[in-house]
Amino acid sequence: MAKFRKIGILTSGGDAPGMNACIKAVVSKALTLGVEVVGINRGYQGLIEGDLRPLLPKHVANILGRGGTILYSSRSPMFKTEEGMAAAVKTCRDNGIDALICIGGDGTFRGATDMTRHGIPSIGLPGTIDNDITATDYTIGFDTSINSTMQIIDKLRDTCESHARLNVVEVMGRNCGQIALYAGIASGAVAVVIPEIPFDEAAALEKIRKLREDGRRGMIAIVCEGVTNPDGTPYSEAFRHTITEKTGVETKFVRLAHIVRGGEPTARERSTAMRMGIAAVELLHEGISNVVMCELDGKICPVDISFALIADRMYKSKLQPGDLDPFTPEQLEDMRLLCKKRQNEIQHLYKVAQDVAN
Ligand code: F6P
């Protein structure tokens, strides 16, 4: 006997390839448990406004390979107000929605925990191309975005090679250098610049000069969007000019921005998104909520939302007074280990990127 008769599902914040696969898996799994699924359009804003649509297997039959989100997305400032929250809860009550699955980033998880607190059990699923959620090794959208980035860079490399140019490529990721690092390694970039590790510009320029002296024609340098100049402007564009000035190598610039947020999700993306979606439905069915589905060491497992949010703040050095008070010493130790694991991973990838940059 199902504990829930009707689950609502929404996607919020920046869209990510794989969100549709997740929606499809939630609908399919729920059906096997006799649970109905209702789609909420435009994230929490749609929840406030009661912008709903039924989700039957026929509605999700051919969406696995589609990028974006069939439920659309938004960032809703109104949801952060008491009034917005009350309207969202009312939509659930009026429409018999017993539980929610919310796909997105940390803002989405805060929304899910608020809804749980207001009597609508909710589960968060990590969906962002940035792979910047500390509690999980993997976020839905990441694999597709690094593959898209790599493919575009391969194309840029062709023309760089023909014209003996260097191309500086700015990639998304906010303050997380994972897209830059994976794409940089996969495309043998001569430099990868990320927010987490200080960049030795002089050494990079010296390397570019030497490579050119040795006959290298085409070269690629990747800069994460979160790296800025002291005045807050993007470092990527400044770096392009510095390279031309200091090395004489003709240098072009491209900002990939949202291009790598769309497109057909990879097999890894679809399967992980589907595993997370199925696990979320199973947990809700067992009466468990207020967790984020994470991938840790290859396994899909639930992590308490408050733990995930505070671990994230710890990693990003954004802790506020009192943040750590609710947690046991063991939980705090687990958070520190997660942060350390992530730092080690970034350092390892950075080292690999440097090792192949020649
Ligand atoms: O969080 C995903 C992301 O694509 C970031 O990489 C980027 O900084 C941001 O969203 C862009 O947001 P928007 O779509 O609102 O411009």
Side-chain angles (χ1 to χ4, degrees):
M1 178 69 171
K3 288 208 169 57
F4 297 98
R5 286 152 304 148
K6 202 190 270 184
I7 295 176
I9 180 165
L10 60 81
T11 49
S12 163
D15 66 349
M19 283 181 164
N20 286 331
C22 191
I23 295 166
K24 148 88 180 147
V26 166
V27 173
S28 299
K29 182 67 196 177
L31 186 75
T32 68
L33 298 170
V35 174
E36 209 180 308
V37 180
V38 59
I40 298 152
N41 292 322
R42 298 179 294 116
Y44 290 110
Q45 191 58 34
L47 187 61
I48 291 170
E49 295 170 18
D51 186 1
L52 312 177
R53 63 163 109 167
L55 282 182
L56 297 169
K58 67 177 178 188
H59 299 124
V60 294
N62 288 311
I63 64 169
L64 279 176
R66 281 168 59 184
T69 159
I70 60 159
L71 294 176
Y72 318 130
S73 194
S74 68
R75 305 189 199 272
S76 171
M78 196 184 167
F79 183 70
K80 293 185 186 137
T81 65
E82 269 310 311
E83 205 189 342
M85 174 60 58
V89 172
K90 184 170 182 311
T91 299
C92 292
R93 301 263 183 252
D94 289 351
N95 293 278
I97 297 173
D98 305 306
L100 286 177
I101 291 179
C102 310
I103 315 172
D106 52 357
T108 309
F109 303 155
R110 271 192 293 278
T113 206
D114 286 345
M115 289 303 289
T116 306
R117 224 173 328 110
H118 283 79
I120 310 293
S122 302
I123 287 188
L125 297 183
T128 161
I129 62 166
D130 298 342
N131 205 19
D132 64 344
I133 296 172
T134 308
T136 180
D137 294 341
Y138 188 80
T139 60
I140 297 167
F142 179 60
D143 191 59
T144 307
S145 75
I146 55 176
N147 277 288
S148 300
T149 306
M150 178 190 73
Q151 284 160 8
I152 294 168
I153 291 174
D154 283 348
K155 292 180 179 36
L156 284 171
R157 183 185 293 286
D158 291 346
T159 167
C160 283
E161 187 67 16
S162 304
H163 290 267
R165 288 174 178 156
L166 186 150
N167 211 315
V168 172
V169 182
E170 187 199 271
V171 297
M172 277 189 167
R174 291 187 203 267
N175 290 313
C176 175
Q178 292 230 14
I179 296 178
L181 285 169
Y182 275 89
I185 292 166
S187 53
V190 293
V192 178
V193 193
I194 59 169
E196 293 94 330
I197 296 182
F199 178 54
D200 188 343
E201 187 185 88
L205 293 171
E206 187 50 29
K207 181 186 288 178
I208 292 167
R209 232 180 269 122
K210 277 226 166 71
L211 286 169
R212 176 49 58 90
E213 266 171 33
D214 290 349
R216 179 67 56 89
R217 292 178 59 85
M219 288 178 263
I220 298 289
I222 301 185
V223 183
C224 173
E225 64 176 355
V227 183
T228 53
N229 297 311
D231 65 359
T233 54
Y235 174 72
S236 52
E237 290 174 68
F239 188 41
R240 174 246 185 119
H241 293 299
T242 310
I243 294 172
T244 310
E245 268 166 38
K246 300 275 167 71
T247 69
V249 174
E250 188 187 354
T251 303
K252 297 283 178 185
F253 171 74
V254 64
R255 174 170 289 126
L256 297 189
H258 298 79
I259 293 170
V260 299
R261 218 166 80 178
E264 202 178 293
T266 61
R268 150 68 147 142
E269 204 75 82
R270 298 180 203 190
S271 49
T272 305
M274 293 173 91
R275 289 167 67 208
M276 285 181 170
I278 288 170
V281 176
E282 283 171 347
L283 284 181
L284 284 175
H285 192 245
E286 285 165 25
I288 297 167
S289 64
N290 210 31
V291 292
V292 185
M293 300 315 307
C294 294
E295 184 188 277
L296 288 168
D297 303 321
K299 292 204 180 72
I300 305 296
C301 50
V303 172
D304 178 76
I305 292 189
S306 320
F307 178 97
L309 288 172
I310 299 304
D312 215 45
R313 280 198 201 156
M314 184 185 270
Y315 178 75
K316 292 168 185 165
S317 304
K318 286 184 177 166
L319 282 173
Q320 283 159 22
D323 270 356
L324 301 181
D325 296 352
F327 299 98
T328 64
E330 290 75 23
Q331 286 174 313
L332 294 177
E333 185 51 20
D334 285 347
M335 282 183 199
R336 285 187 205 104
L337 288 173
L338 272 178
C339 296
K340 193 75 210 145
K341 177 178 164 188
R342 195 159 260 267
Q343 280 156 0
N344 289 344
E345 192 195 351
I346 294 280
Q347 268 157 16
H348 168 69
L349 291 169
Y350 195 74
K351 169 96 185 26
V352 174
Q354 285 188 313
D355 287 345
V356 297
N358 54 39

